[in-house]
Amino acid sequence: MIVSPTADNIRAASKIIVSGGTVVFPTETVYGLGANALDELAVRKVYALKSRPIENPLIVHVKDSSQIQLYTDLSDSEVKSRLELLESLWPGPLTVVLPSNGSIPDIVTAKQPTIAVRVPAHPVAQELLNECRVPIAAPSANPSSALSPTSAEHIASELKADIILDGGRSKVGIESTIIALIGPVPLLLRPGSLTVEELQEVLKEEIADVSESPLHIEGESLISPGMLPKHYSPRTPLIFIRDFNPSGQRSKRVGYIGFKAPPEPDQFDYAASMVLSSNGDMQQVAANLYAALHDMDGRSLDLIVIDDCERSGIGKAIMNRLSRAVSQK
Ligand code: TXA
Ligand code: MG
């Protein structure tokens, strides 16, 4: 059931969380499928609804940074001082992986000694966290490996949460930047709208980018199990425009997603075409990316072709998602 985020409905959603149910809620990045992070059975429902592999841990959402010490081990002074610097970016599209203090059930952390935490900025997420007074474990509200939702209409019908709070379109539009403070240097596990350059400025030190080393192994465990090679995919086959050969495709219904400009008129007769940012603003490209893919996916096309961009600034996050979303060769 999709409902508007009135005070009554947020209260109802909060009761669902506290009593062990599941709630889809908006965040500024993408919509999340949440459950009480302290309730193992509730979190199991999240994995089941998404068909998510149990080895892939969840992000724990808290209402403000003062909550983080409840679930983490900040005895290492270097971790603590790095975290203090990053806290200036919260609430916002940042997730930090920290040593866990063991208080969050194994089901959330996939038995890793670490925990990923985030303070979301969306007012509905904030109100929900304020009301329920428990940490909320929430992955993106999509079936595993499918496109993340950036509005309530994108929530797949098979994702049967107890309630869906409609908070409008997610402004950032791609998942949070994930940084891990678990070793000698800060690690970038997933790029996002907060760029490496911005994070380095806040941290006043270099960050090691491991986001394109999928299944990076440290000791026995995977640093970021979610960085699987296939992810974020529409149902319709998707390829980069540079890999598109129009000859022999004339009878096919092809959709075009341009970042800055529509296709050349004489190039191909596209069944649908869309431009993500007519002034070439890459933050806007990111914000509209999933919505455009959801839209194209609903048009019974044979193929979607999409632009690519340089892997710098937010382009790193856009290409990180798209290189996993394109159809595997
Ligand atoms: O923007 C976001 O982060 C959204 C909203 C809902 O907050 N959430 C989100 O969750 O993108 P999800 O589950 O789709 O992606 C979480 C990623 C996964 O790649 C997972 O492997 C990684 O975070 N992760 C979670 N806990 C971790 C941990 N302890 N160590 C390393 N990676 C972790
Ligand atoms: Mg996800």
Side-chain angles (χ1 to χ4, degrees):
M1 188 183 38
I2 301 184
V3 301
S4 63
T6 59
D8 278 353
N9 286 336
I10 292 177
R11 217 169 294 125
S14 160
K15 281 194 183 134
I16 290 172
I17 294 275
V18 173
S19 58
T22 56
V23 172
V24 171
F25 64 100
T27 87
E28 69 279 22
T29 57
V30 301
Y31 276 64
L33 169 63
N36 179 357
L38 302 172
D39 180 341
E40 180 181 337
L41 285 179
V43 176
R44 281 195 186 280
K45 292 180 191 166
V46 169
Y47 281 88
L49 284 172
K50 275 185 66 102
S51 309
R52 181 174 177 109
I54 206 87
E55 314 74 52
N56 193 359
L58 308 182
I59 296 173
V60 175
H61 298 70
V62 294
K63 74 175 158 78
D64 58 56
S65 39
S66 73
Q67 303 290 302
I68 283 168
Q69 53 171 355
L70 301 175
Y71 313 113
T72 55
D73 174 358
L74 301 177
S75 54
D76 181 328
S77 59
E78 202 159 51
V79 170
K80 193 160 185 271
S81 53
R82 284 175 176 145
L83 175 64
E84 277 165 7
L85 293 172
L86 291 176
E87 280 173 359
S88 65
L89 300 167
W90 275 327
L94 174 71
T95 294
V96 182
V97 173
L98 292 160
S100 161
N101 68 4
S103 60
I104 292 284
D106 278 350
I107 180 85
V108 175
T109 58
K111 294 195 176 145
Q112 298 206 70
T114 57
I115 172 177
V117 287
R118 166 158 124 79
V119 183
H122 195 293
V124 175
Q126 281 278 334
E127 282 171 47
L128 180 64
L129 285 161
N130 246 324
E131 186 75 35
C132 72
R133 295 171 177 275
V134 293
I136 298 181
S140 50
N142 50 278
S144 206
S145 90
L147 271 176
S148 299
T150 55
S151 73
E153 308 87 82
H154 296 157
I155 310 296
S157 51
E158 65 261 39
L159 208 107
K160 293 200 177 3
D162 296 316
I163 196 170
I164 298 174
L165 292 172
D166 183 349
R169 282 187 69 159
S170 297
K171 290 212 172 71
V172 173
I174 52 171
E175 300 82 354
S176 60
T177 305
I178 307 183
I179 183 164
L181 304 182
I182 50 174
V185 291
L187 302 174
L188 178 77
L189 300 188
R190 181 173 71 184
S193 67
L194 273 171
T195 64
V196 178
E197 294 76 18
E198 288 168 313
L199 290 166
Q200 286 181 162
E201 203 160 298
V202 170
L203 282 168
K204 302 185 190 71
E205 66 179 316
E206 292 278 310
I207 294 171
D209 182 354
V210 296
S211 62
E212 297 303 332
S213 349
L215 309 182
H216 187 103
I217 292 171
E218 194 182 62
E220 291 285 296
S221 68
L222 307 173
I223 288 188
S224 194
M227 299 293 103
L228 302 170
K230 178 175 160 57
H231 213 139
Y232 316 110
S233 302
R235 293 178 305 270
T236 313
L238 172 75
I239 60 170
F240 285 119
I241 184 92
R242 61 171 141 86
D243 297 325
F244 179 52
N245 178 4
S247 65
Q249 311 270 357
R250 299 280 162 203
S251 61
K252 297 241 173 87
R253 281 172 51 78
V254 183
Y256 175 96
I257 301 177
F259 286 179
K260 302 174 186 175
E264 304 287 329
D266 54 349
Q267 195 186 33
F268 186 80
D269 187 16
Y270 289 104
S273 114
M274 220 172 259
V275 176
L276 300 183
S277 171
S278 49
N279 65 2
D281 173 353
M282 294 309 282
Q283 293 281 349
Q284 203 180 0
V285 168
N288 293 330
L289 181 67
Y290 290 153
L293 287 166
H294 276 287
D295 178 317
M296 287 287 184
D297 217 12
R299 291 174 185 250
S300 313
L301 299 167
D302 299 308
L303 180 69
I304 305 168
V305 297
I306 190 161
D307 269 349
D308 59 7
C309 62
E310 240 177 76
R311 286 179 187 259
S312 67
I314 194 173
K316 192 192 270 280
I318 293 169
M319 289 304 289
N320 170 277
R321 307 304 190 277
L322 283 179
S323 61
R324 290 166 174 81
V326 291
S327 309
Q328 308 293 308
K329 297 211 177 84

